[in-house]
Coordinates of all heavy atoms in Angstrom, one line a residue:
R1405 N -5.6 -9.9 7.4 CA -6.4 -11.1 6.9 C -6.9 -11.8 8.1 O -8.1 -12.3 7.9 CB -5.5 -11.9 6.0 CG -6.2 -13.1 5.3 CD -5.3 -13.9 4.4 NE -4.2 -14.3 5.1 CZ -3.1 -15.0 4.5 NH1 -3.1 -15.1 3.2 NH2 -2.1 -15.4 5.3
R1406 N -6.2 -12.0 9.2 CA -6.7 -12.7 10.3 C -7.9 -12.0 10.9 O -8.8 -12.6 11.4 CB -5.6 -12.8 11.4 CG -4.5 -13.8 11.1 CD -3.7 -14.1 12.3 NE -3.0 -12.9 12.8 CZ -1.7 -12.5 12.4 NH1 -1.1 -13.2 11.4 NH2 -1.2 -11.4 12.9
G1407 N -8.0 -10.6 10.7 CA -9.1 -9.9 11.3 C -10.3 -9.9 10.3 O -11.4 -9.3 10.7
G1408 N -10.2 -10.5 9.1 CA -11.3 -10.5 8.2 C -11.1 -9.3 7.2 O -11.1 -8.1 7.6
L1409 N -10.9 -9.7 5.9 CA -10.7 -8.6 4.9 C -12.0 -8.0 4.3 O -12.9 -8.7 4.2 CB -9.9 -9.3 3.7 CG -8.5 -9.7 4.1 CD1 -7.9 -10.5 2.9 CD2 -7.6 -8.6 4.4
E1410 N -11.9 -6.7 4.0 CA -12.9 -6.0 3.2 C -12.5 -6.0 1.8 O -11.4 -5.5 1.5 CB -13.1 -4.7 3.7 CG -13.6 -4.6 5.2 CD -13.7 -3.1 5.7 OE1 -13.7 -2.2 4.8 OE2 -14.0 -2.9 6.8
V1411 N -13.3 -6.6 0.9 CA -12.9 -6.8 -0.5 C -13.7 -5.9 -1.4 O -15.0 -5.9 -1.3 CB -13.0 -8.2 -0.9 CG1 -12.5 -8.4 -2.4 CG2 -12.2 -9.1 -0.1
Q1412 N -13.1 -5.1 -2.3 CA -13.8 -4.4 -3.2 C -13.3 -4.6 -4.7 O -12.2 -5.3 -4.8 CB -13.7 -2.8 -3.0 CG -14.2 -2.4 -1.7 CD -13.9 -0.9 -1.4 OE1 -13.2 -0.3 -2.1 NE2 -14.6 -0.4 -0.3
S1413 N -14.0 -4.2 -5.7 CA -13.5 -4.3 -7.1 C -13.0 -3.0 -7.6 O -13.7 -2.0 -7.5 CB -14.6 -4.9 -7.9 OG -14.9 -6.2 -7.6
K1414 N -11.9 -3.1 -8.3 CA -11.3 -1.9 -8.9 C -11.9 -1.8 -10.2 O -12.5 -2.7 -10.8 CB -9.8 -1.9 -8.9 CG -9.2 -1.9 -7.6 CD -7.6 -1.7 -7.7 CE -7.0 -2.9 -8.2 NZ -5.5 -2.8 -8.0
A1415 N -11.7 -0.7 -10.9 CA -12.1 -0.5 -12.4 C -11.4 -1.6 -13.2 O -10.1 -1.8 -13.0 CB -11.6 0.8 -12.8
G1416 N -12.0 -2.3 -13.9 CA -11.6 -3.5 -14.6 C -11.9 -4.8 -14.0 O -11.7 -5.9 -14.6
G1417 N -12.3 -4.7 -12.7 CA -12.8 -6.0 -12.0 C -11.9 -6.6 -11.1 O -12.3 -7.6 -10.4
S1418 N -10.6 -6.2 -11.1 CA -9.7 -6.9 -10.2 C -9.9 -6.6 -8.7 O -10.4 -5.4 -8.4 CB -8.2 -6.6 -10.5 OG -8.0 -5.2 -10.4
P1419 N -9.7 -7.5 -7.8 CA -10.1 -7.1 -6.4 C -9.0 -6.4 -5.7 O -7.7 -6.4 -6.0 CB -10.2 -8.5 -5.8 CG -9.2 -9.4 -6.6 CD -9.3 -8.9 -8.0
V1420 N -9.4 -5.6 -4.7 CA -8.5 -4.9 -3.8 C -9.1 -5.0 -2.4 O -10.3 -4.9 -2.2 CB -8.3 -3.4 -4.2 CG1 -9.6 -2.6 -4.2 CG2 -7.2 -2.8 -3.4
T1421 N -8.2 -5.2 -1.4 CA -8.6 -5.3 0.0 C -8.2 -4.2 0.8 O -7.2 -3.5 0.5 CB -8.2 -6.7 0.6 OG1 -6.8 -6.6 0.9 CG2 -8.4 -7.8 -0.4
D1422 N -8.7 -4.1 2.0 CA -8.2 -3.2 3.0 C -6.8 -3.5 3.4 O -6.0 -2.6 3.8 CB -9.1 -3.0 4.2 CG -9.4 -4.3 4.9 OD1 -9.3 -5.4 4.3 OD2 -9.6 -4.2 6.1
G1423 N -6.4 -4.8 3.2 CA -5.0 -5.2 3.5 C -4.1 -4.7 2.5 O -3.0 -4.2 2.8
D1424 N -4.4 -4.7 1.2 CA -3.6 -4.1 0.1 C -3.4 -2.6 0.5 O -2.3 -2.1 0.4 CB -4.3 -4.2 -1.2 CG -4.5 -5.5 -1.8 OD1 -5.4 -6.3 -1.2 OD2 -3.8 -5.9 -2.8
L1425 N -4.4 -1.9 0.8 CA -4.4 -0.5 1.0 C -3.6 -0.1 2.3 O -2.8 0.9 2.3 CB -5.8 0.2 1.1 CG -6.7 -0.1 -0.2 CD1 -8.0 0.5 0.1 CD2 -6.0 0.5 -1.3
A1426 N -3.7 -0.9 3.4 CA -2.9 -0.7 4.5 C -1.5 -0.9 4.3 O -0.6 -0.1 4.7 CB -3.4 -1.7 5.7
V1427 N -1.1 -1.9 3.6 CA 0.3 -2.1 3.2 C 0.8 -1.0 2.4 O 1.9 -0.6 2.6 CB 0.5 -3.5 2.5 CG1 1.9 -3.6 1.9 CG2 0.1 -4.6 3.4
N1428 N 0.0 -0.5 1.4 CA 0.5 0.6 0.6 C 0.7 1.8 1.4 O 1.7 2.5 1.2 CB -0.6 0.9 -0.5 CG -0.1 1.9 -1.5 OD1 0.9 1.6 -2.3 ND2 -0.7 3.1 -1.6
A1429 N -0.2 2.1 2.4 CA 0.0 3.3 3.2 C 1.3 3.1 4.0 O 2.0 4.1 4.2 CB -1.3 3.4 4.1
F1430 N 1.5 1.9 4.6 CA 2.7 1.8 5.4 C 4.0 1.9 4.5 O 4.9 2.6 4.9 CB 2.7 0.3 5.9 CG 4.1 -0.1 6.4 CD1 4.6 0.4 7.6 CD2 4.8 -1.0 5.7 CE1 5.9 0.0 8.0 CE2 6.1 -1.4 6.1 CZ 6.6 -0.9 7.3
L1431 N 4.0 1.3 3.3 CA 5.2 1.4 2.4 C 5.5 2.9 2.0 O 6.6 3.3 1.9 CB 5.1 0.5 1.3 CG 5.1 -1.0 1.6 CD1 4.7 -1.9 0.4 CD2 6.5 -1.5 2.1
T1432 N 4.3 3.6 1.7 CA 4.5 4.9 1.2 C 5.2 5.8 2.4 O 6.1 6.5 2.1 CB 3.1 5.5 0.9 OG1 2.5 4.8 0.0 CG2 3.2 7.0 0.5
E1433 N 4.7 5.5 3.6 CA 5.3 6.3 4.7 C 6.7 5.9 5.0 O 7.6 6.7 5.0 CB 4.5 6.1 5.9 CG 5.1 6.6 7.2 CD 5.1 8.1 7.4 OE1 4.4 8.8 6.6 OE2 5.9 8.6 8.2
R1434 N 7.0 4.6 5.0 CA 8.4 4.1 5.3 C 9.4 4.5 4.2 O 10.4 5.0 4.5 CB 8.3 2.6 5.6 CG 9.7 1.9 5.7 CD 10.4 2.4 7.0 NE 9.7 1.9 8.2 CZ 9.8 0.7 8.7 NH1 10.7 -0.1 8.1 NH2 9.2 0.3 9.8
L1435 N 9.1 4.1 3.0 CA 10.0 4.3 1.9 C 10.3 5.8 1.4 O 11.3 6.2 1.2 CB 9.7 3.4 0.7 CG 9.6 2.0 1.0 CD1 9.1 1.2 -0.2 CD2 10.9 1.4 1.6
R1436 N 9.1 6.5 1.3 CA 9.2 7.8 0.9 C 9.8 8.8 1.9 O 10.5 9.7 1.6 CB 7.9 8.4 0.4 CG 7.2 7.6 -0.7 CD 6.1 8.2 -1.4 NE 6.6 9.2 -2.4 CZ 5.8 9.9 -3.2 NH1 4.5 9.7 -3.1 NH2 6.3 10.7 -4.1
K1437 N 9.6 8.5 3.1 CA 10.3 9.3 4.2 C 11.7 9.0 4.2 O 12.5 10.0 4.4 CB 9.6 8.9 5.6 CG 10.2 9.7 6.7 CD 9.4 9.4 8.0 CE 10.0 10.2 9.2 NZ 9.2 9.8 10.5
A1438 N 12.2 7.8 3.9 CA 13.6 7.4 4.0 C 14.3 8.0 2.8 O 15.5 8.3 2.7 CB 13.8 5.9 4.1
R1439 N 13.5 8.1 1.6 CA 14.2 8.5 0.4 C 13.3 9.6 -0.3 O 12.7 9.3 -1.3 CB 14.4 7.3 -0.6 CG 15.2 6.2 -0.1 CD 16.7 6.6 0.0 NE 17.5 5.4 0.3 CZ 17.8 5.0 1.5 NH1 17.3 5.6 2.6 NH2 18.5 3.9 1.7
P1440 N 13.2 10.8 0.2 CA 12.3 11.8 -0.3 C 12.6 12.2 -1.7 O 11.7 12.8 -2.4 CB 12.4 12.9 0.7 CG 13.7 12.7 1.4 CD 13.9 11.3 1.5
D1441 N 13.8 12.0 -2.2 CA 14.2 12.4 -3.5 C 13.8 11.4 -4.6 O 13.9 11.6 -5.8 CB 15.6 12.8 -3.6 CG 16.6 11.6 -3.1 OD1 16.1 10.9 -2.2 OD2 17.6 11.5 -3.7
Y1442 N 13.3 10.2 -4.2 CA 13.0 9.1 -5.1 C 11.6 9.4 -5.6 O 10.7 9.8 -4.8 CB 13.1 7.8 -4.5 CG 14.5 7.2 -4.3 CD1 15.6 8.0 -4.2 CD2 14.7 5.8 -4.1 CE1 16.9 7.5 -4.0 CE2 16.0 5.3 -3.9 CZ 17.0 6.2 -3.8 OH 18.3 5.7 -3.6
G1443 N 11.4 9.1 -6.9 CA 10.0 9.0 -7.3 C 9.2 7.8 -6.8 O 9.8 6.9 -6.2
W1444 N 7.9 7.7 -7.2 CA 7.0 6.7 -6.7 C 6.1 6.1 -7.7 O 5.4 6.9 -8.4 CB 6.3 7.3 -5.5 CG 5.4 6.3 -4.7 CD1 4.1 6.1 -4.9 CD2 5.8 5.4 -3.7 NE1 3.6 5.1 -4.0 CE2 4.7 4.7 -3.3 CE3 7.0 5.1 -3.1 CZ2 4.8 3.7 -2.3 CZ3 7.1 4.1 -2.1 CH2 6.0 3.4 -1.7
L1445 N 6.0 4.9 -7.8 CA 4.9 4.2 -8.6 C 4.5 2.9 -7.8 O 5.2 2.0 -7.6 CB 5.6 3.7 -10.0 CG 4.7 3.0 -10.9 CD1 3.5 3.9 -11.4 CD2 5.4 2.4 -12.1
S1446 N 3.2 2.9 -7.6 CA 2.6 1.8 -6.9 C 1.3 1.5 -7.4 O 0.5 2.4 -7.9 CB 2.4 2.2 -5.3 OG 1.6 1.2 -4.7

């Protein structure tokens, strides 16, 4: 956010930013690597 967000609209009109996507990518890597047998919903 400090660097300036890129904002897009998802289907249905709700906003999503490159910050949302960067956090999702980080959490996917961190959590799924630690618990590969767990399912995932994000």
Side-chain angles (χ1 to χ4, degrees):
R1405 188 176 56 188
R1406 286 194 298 271
L1409 294 170
E1410 297 178 9
V1411 183
Q1412 300 177 347
S1413 292
K1414 297 191 285 189
S1418 62
V1420 62
T1421 74
D1422 57 333
D1424 296 70
L1425 301 179
V1427 170
N1428 189 65
F1430 163 74
L1431 292 171
T1432 302
E1433 170 68 17
R1434 172 67 65 86
L1435 299 180
R1436 301 195 79 176
K1437 184 177 181 179
R1439 302 288 189 272
D1441 56 326
Y1442 286 22
W1444 184 261
L1445 177 65
S1446 169

